[in-house]
PDB file of all heavy atoms in Angstrom:
ATOM      1  N   ASN A 409     206.233 109.464  54.340  1.00  0.00           N
ATOM      2  CA  ASN A 409     205.482 108.214  54.399  1.00  0.00           C
ATOM      3  C   ASN A 409     205.876 107.329  53.235  1.00  0.00           C
ATOM      4  O   ASN A 409     206.516 107.768  52.283  1.00  0.00           O
ATOM      5  CB  ASN A 409     203.974 108.507  54.392  1.00  0.00           C
ATOM      6  CG  ASN A 409     203.539 109.281  53.137  1.00  0.00           C
ATOM      7  OD1 ASN A 409     203.760 108.839  52.037  1.00  0.00           O
ATOM      8  ND2 ASN A 409     203.004 110.459  53.345  1.00  0.00           N
ATOM      9  N   ASN A 410     205.412 106.119  53.278  1.00  0.00           N
ATOM     10  CA  ASN A 410     205.745 105.133  52.197  1.00  0.00           C
ATOM     11  C   ASN A 410     204.507 104.748  51.393  1.00  0.00           C
ATOM     12  O   ASN A 410     204.495 103.677  50.780  1.00  0.00           O
ATOM     13  CB  ASN A 410     206.333 103.865  52.845  1.00  0.00           C
ATOM     14  CG  ASN A 410     207.654 104.202  53.516  1.00  0.00           C
ATOM     15  OD1 ASN A 410     208.391 105.076  53.059  1.00  0.00           O
ATOM     16  ND2 ASN A 410     207.907 103.506  54.601  1.00  0.00           N
ATOM     17  N   PHE A 411     203.450 105.564  51.411  1.00  0.00           N
ATOM     18  CA  PHE A 411     202.231 105.188  50.690  1.00  0.00           C
ATOM     19  C   PHE A 411     202.440 105.461  49.219  1.00  0.00           C
ATOM     20  O   PHE A 411     202.963 106.515  48.838  1.00  0.00           O
ATOM     21  CB  PHE A 411     201.072 105.972  51.210  1.00  0.00           C
ATOM     22  CG  PHE A 411     200.815 105.786  52.704  1.00  0.00           C
ATOM     23  CD1 PHE A 411     201.090 106.820  53.597  1.00  0.00           C
ATOM     24  CD2 PHE A 411     200.455 104.575  53.174  1.00  0.00           C
ATOM     25  CE1 PHE A 411     200.869 106.640  54.928  1.00  0.00           C
ATOM     26  CE2 PHE A 411     200.234 104.365  54.550  1.00  0.00           C
ATOM     27  CZ  PHE A 411     200.466 105.416  55.414  1.00  0.00           C
ATOM     28  N   ASP A 412     201.968 104.535  48.384  1.00  0.00           N
ATOM     29  CA  ASP A 412     202.121 104.765  46.948  1.00  0.00           C
ATOM     30  C   ASP A 412     200.960 105.545  46.384  1.00  0.00           C
ATOM     31  O   ASP A 412     199.845 105.611  46.957  1.00  0.00           O
ATOM     32  CB  ASP A 412     202.272 103.425  46.200  1.00  0.00           C
ATOM     33  CG  ASP A 412     201.038 102.558  46.270  1.00  0.00           C
ATOM     34  OD1 ASP A 412     200.669 102.170  47.385  1.00  0.00           O
ATOM     35  OD2 ASP A 412     200.482 102.270  45.198  1.00  0.00           O
ATOM     36  N   GLU A 413     201.213 106.218  45.279  1.00  0.00           N
ATOM     37  CA  GLU A 413     200.256 107.122  44.685  1.00  0.00           C
ATOM     38  C   GLU A 413     198.977 106.389  44.212  1.00  0.00           C
ATOM     39  O   GLU A 413     197.864 106.904  44.405  1.00  0.00           O
ATOM     40  CB  GLU A 413     200.877 107.831  43.486  1.00  0.00           C
ATOM     41  CG  GLU A 413     200.023 108.915  42.885  1.00  0.00           C
ATOM     42  CD  GLU A 413     200.747 109.692  41.800  1.00  0.00           C
ATOM     43  OE1 GLU A 413     201.958 109.971  41.953  1.00  0.00           O
ATOM     44  OE2 GLU A 413     200.126 110.027  40.795  1.00  0.00           O
ATOM     45  N   HIS A 414     199.132 105.226  43.690  1.00  0.00           N
ATOM     46  CA  HIS A 414     197.999 104.453  43.208  1.00  0.00           C
ATOM     47  C   HIS A 414     197.011 104.110  44.374  1.00  0.00           C
ATOM     48  O   HIS A 414     195.812 104.243  44.220  1.00  0.00           O
ATOM     49  CB  HIS A 414     198.428 103.182  42.486  1.00  0.00           C
ATOM     50  CG  HIS A 414     197.297 102.322  42.030  1.00  0.00           C
ATOM     51  ND1 HIS A 414     196.497 102.694  40.986  1.00  0.00           N
ATOM     52  CD2 HIS A 414     196.853 101.125  42.502  1.00  0.00           C
ATOM     53  CE1 HIS A 414     195.574 101.757  40.825  1.00  0.00           C
ATOM     54  NE2 HIS A 414     195.788 100.778  41.715  1.00  0.00           N
ATOM     55  N   SER A 415     197.576 103.690  45.501  1.00  0.00           N
ATOM     56  CA  SER A 415     196.711 103.391  46.652  1.00  0.00           C
ATOM     57  C   SER A 415     195.977 104.612  47.180  1.00  0.00           C
ATOM     58  O   SER A 415     194.839 104.556  47.536  1.00  0.00           O
ATOM     59  CB  SER A 415     197.534 102.774  47.795  1.00  0.00           C
ATOM     60  OG  SER A 415     198.089 101.562  47.372  1.00  0.00           O
ATOM     61  N   LEU A 416     196.686 105.737  47.210  1.00  0.00           N
ATOM     62  CA  LEU A 416     196.029 106.981  47.652  1.00  0.00           C
ATOM     63  C   LEU A 416     194.925 107.429  46.702  1.00  0.00           C
ATOM     64  O   LEU A 416     193.848 107.846  47.161  1.00  0.00           O
ATOM     65  CB  LEU A 416     197.109 108.095  47.811  1.00  0.00           C
ATOM     66  CG  LEU A 416     198.077 107.905  48.952  1.00  0.00           C
ATOM     67  CD1 LEU A 416     199.220 108.905  48.848  1.00  0.00           C
ATOM     68  CD2 LEU A 416     197.372 108.027  50.312  1.00  0.00           C
ATOM     69  N   LYS A 417     195.157 107.276  45.417  1.00  0.00           N
ATOM     70  CA  LYS A 417     194.108 107.612  44.441  1.00  0.00           C
ATOM     71  C   LYS A 417     192.892 106.714  44.607  1.00  0.00           C
ATOM     72  O   LYS A 417     191.787 107.127  44.618  1.00  0.00           O
ATOM     73  CB  LYS A 417     194.658 107.482  43.002  1.00  0.00           C
ATOM     74  CG  LYS A 417     195.490 108.608  42.529  1.00  0.00           C
ATOM     75  CD  LYS A 417     195.931 108.374  41.080  1.00  0.00           C
ATOM     76  CE  LYS A 417     196.809 109.476  40.582  1.00  0.00           C
ATOM     77  NZ  LYS A 417     197.204 109.319  39.173  1.00  0.00           N
ATOM     78  N   THR A 418     193.192 105.427  44.690  1.00  0.00           N
ATOM     79  CA  THR A 418     192.119 104.431  44.852  1.00  0.00           C
ATOM     80  C   THR A 418     191.287 104.698  46.132  1.00  0.00           C
ATOM     81  O   THR A 418     190.038 104.692  46.073  1.00  0.00           O
ATOM     82  CB  THR A 418     192.670 103.003  44.896  1.00  0.00           C
ATOM     83  OG1 THR A 418     193.418 102.788  43.707  1.00  0.00           O
ATOM     84  CG2 THR A 418     191.595 101.945  45.008  1.00  0.00           C
ATOM     85  N   ALA A 419     191.971 104.929  47.199  1.00  0.00           N
ATOM     86  CA  ALA A 419     191.258 105.188  48.477  1.00  0.00           C
ATOM     87  C   ALA A 419     190.437 106.452  48.400  1.00  0.00           C
ATOM     88  O   ALA A 419     189.285 106.503  48.890  1.00  0.00           O
ATOM     89  CB  ALA A 419     192.263 105.292  49.612  1.00  0.00           C
ATOM     90  N   THR A 420     190.974 107.481  47.792  1.00  0.00           N
ATOM     91  CA  THR A 420     190.249 108.767  47.640  1.00  0.00           C
ATOM     92  C   THR A 420     189.005 108.566  46.750  1.00  0.00           C
ATOM     93  O   THR A 420     187.906 109.009  47.127  1.00  0.00           O
ATOM     94  CB  THR A 420     191.161 109.833  47.019  1.00  0.00           C
ATOM     95  OG1 THR A 420     192.339 109.978  47.814  1.00  0.00           O
ATOM     96  CG2 THR A 420     190.444 111.164  46.910  1.00  0.00           C
ATOM     97  N   LEU A 421     189.168 107.911  45.626  1.00  0.00           N
ATOM     98  CA  LEU A 421     188.009 107.708  44.721  1.00  0.00           C
ATOM     99  C   LEU A 421     186.961 106.802  45.398  1.00  0.00           C
ATOM    100  O   LEU A 421     185.748 107.092  45.286  1.00  0.00           O
ATOM    101  CB  LEU A 421     188.481 107.104  43.416  1.00  0.00           C
ATOM    102  CG  LEU A 421     189.364 107.998  42.556  1.00  0.00           C
ATOM    103  CD1 LEU A 421     189.844 107.291  41.294  1.00  0.00           C
ATOM    104  CD2 LEU A 421     188.709 109.288  42.213  1.00  0.00           C
ATOM    105  N   ASN A 422     187.377 105.744  46.077  1.00  0.00           N
ATOM    106  CA  ASN A 422     186.419 104.883  46.755  1.00  0.00           C
ATOM    107  C   ASN A 422     185.660 105.620  47.839  1.00  0.00           C
ATOM    108  O   ASN A 422     184.446 105.475  47.981  1.00  0.00           O
ATOM    109  CB  ASN A 422     187.133 103.647  47.366  1.00  0.00           C
ATOM    110  CG  ASN A 422     187.571 102.667  46.356  1.00  0.00           C
ATOM    111  OD1 ASN A 422     187.131 102.673  45.186  1.00  0.00           O
ATOM    112  ND2 ASN A 422     188.481 101.790  46.744  1.00  0.00           N
ATOM    113  N   SER A 423     186.360 106.387  48.633  1.00  0.00           N
ATOM    114  CA  SER A 423     185.763 107.106  49.753  1.00  0.00           C
ATOM    115  C   SER A 423     184.735 108.093  49.262  1.00  0.00           C
ATOM    116  O   SER A 423     183.569 108.144  49.771  1.00  0.00           O
ATOM    117  CB  SER A 423     186.808 107.845  50.547  1.00  0.00           C
ATOM    118  OG  SER A 423     187.654 106.934  51.194  1.00  0.00           O
ATOM    119  N   PHE A 424     185.113 108.915  48.312  1.00  0.00           N
ATOM    120  CA  PHE A 424     184.191 109.977  47.892  1.00  0.00           C
ATOM    121  C   PHE A 424     183.089 109.503  46.973  1.00  0.00           C
ATOM    122  O   PHE A 424     181.999 110.081  46.950  1.00  0.00           O
ATOM    123  CB  PHE A 424     184.979 111.169  47.289  1.00  0.00           C
ATOM    124  CG  PHE A 424     185.685 111.945  48.354  1.00  0.00           C
ATOM    125  CD1 PHE A 424     187.029 111.803  48.580  1.00  0.00           C
ATOM    126  CD2 PHE A 424     184.974 112.783  49.181  1.00  0.00           C
ATOM    127  CE1 PHE A 424     187.712 112.472  49.595  1.00  0.00           C
ATOM    128  CE2 PHE A 424     185.614 113.487  50.183  1.00  0.00           C
ATOM    129  CZ  PHE A 424     186.985 113.337  50.389  1.00  0.00           C
ATOM    130  N   SER A 425     183.311 108.388  46.244  1.00  0.00           N
ATOM    131  CA  SER A 425     182.190 107.824  45.495  1.00  0.00           C
ATOM    132  C   SER A 425     181.170 107.210  46.422  1.00  0.00           C
ATOM    133  O   SER A 425     179.924 107.355  46.218  1.00  0.00           O
ATOM    134  CB  SER A 425     182.676 106.815  44.466  1.00  0.00           C
ATOM    135  OG  SER A 425     183.237 105.675  45.083  1.00  0.00           O
ATOM    136  N   ASN A 426     181.597 106.527  47.470  1.00  0.00           N
ATOM    137  CA  ASN A 426     180.642 105.981  48.488  1.00  0.00           C
ATOM    138  C   ASN A 426     179.916 107.096  49.183  1.00  0.00           C
ATOM    139  O   ASN A 426     178.675 106.997  49.427  1.00  0.00           O
ATOM    140  CB  ASN A 426     181.348 105.117  49.485  1.00  0.00           C
ATOM    141  CG  ASN A 426     181.703 103.754  48.969  1.00  0.00           C
ATOM    142  OD1 ASN A 426     181.357 103.403  47.849  1.00  0.00           O
ATOM    143  ND2 ASN A 426     182.435 102.987  49.740  1.00  0.00           N
ATOM    144  N   LEU A 427     180.615 108.138  49.566  1.00  0.00           N
ATOM    145  CA  LEU A 427     180.016 109.291  50.240  1.00  0.00           C
ATOM    146  C   LEU A 427     178.999 109.963  49.342  1.00  0.00           C
ATOM    147  O   LEU A 427     177.891 110.322  49.775  1.00  0.00           O
ATOM    148  CB  LEU A 427     181.066 110.265  50.662  1.00  0.00           C
ATOM    149  CG  LEU A 427     180.687 111.420  51.584  1.00  0.00           C
ATOM    150  CD1 LEU A 427     180.156 110.904  52.882  1.00  0.00           C
ATOM    151  CD2 LEU A 427     181.923 112.329  51.804  1.00  0.00           C
TER     152      LEU A 427
END
Side-chain angles (χ1 to χ4, degrees):
N409 58 59
N410 297 326
F411 303 112
D412 65 298
E413 187 174 322
H414 178 70
S415 296
L416 290 169
K417 281 183 182 181
T418 303
T420 303
L421 296 177
N422 287 345
S423 293
F424 286 102
S425 64
N426 283 355
L427 189 61

